[in-house]
Amino acid sequence: HISFKKDNSNNLIFELKNTFNYEKDATKKKGIGNTNTKRRLDLIFKEKYHLDISITNKIHVVYLKIPLNKKN
């Protein structure tokens, strides 16, 4: 499940949900993808974004809210 929408405050909201097999994926080598993503968001949006990554009931959820108008 992937969704994009614009809220009333002119933010883009991105949400991704997919199943996650923890037992199978726990043995894989961990990458630096989340760390790099957060670093890039910090550089571009400073404190003006919200990122939440979680796993609940074997469902991996990514929620990202970013402003559509970049104000420096």
Side-chain angles (χ1 to χ4, degrees):
H1 167 78
I2 298 175
S3 69
F4 293 92
K5 64 183 175 180
K6 183 179 129 184
D7 68 8
N8 292 334
S9 298
N10 208 29
N11 293 304
L12 175 67
I13 298 174
F14 168 78
E15 190 172 35
L16 171 101
K17 294 181 183 179
N18 66 315
T19 57
F20 177 77
N21 185 341
Y22 182 78
E23 293 81 21
K24 179 181 174 187
D25 293 338
T27 60
K28 290 184 180 179
K29 182 179 177 185
K30 304 294 181 203
I32 58 170
N34 287 346
T35 302
N36 281 343
T37 299
K38 291 174 186 175
R39 187 178 303 142
R40 286 176 181 250
L41 288 167
D42 285 338
L43 288 171
I44 296 168
F45 297 106
K46 313 284 187 236
E47 303 283 323
K48 297 177 179 138
Y49 73 93
H50 177 79
L51 176 65
D52 184 40
I53 301 171
S54 62
I55 300 170
T56 305
N57 297 325
K58 295 186 180 182
I59 297 176
H60 187 250
V61 178
V62 177
Y63 175 90
L64 175 63
K65 181 169 82 170
I66 56 173
L68 288 173
N69 293 334
K70 186 177 177 187
K71 297 178 183 175
N72 294 331

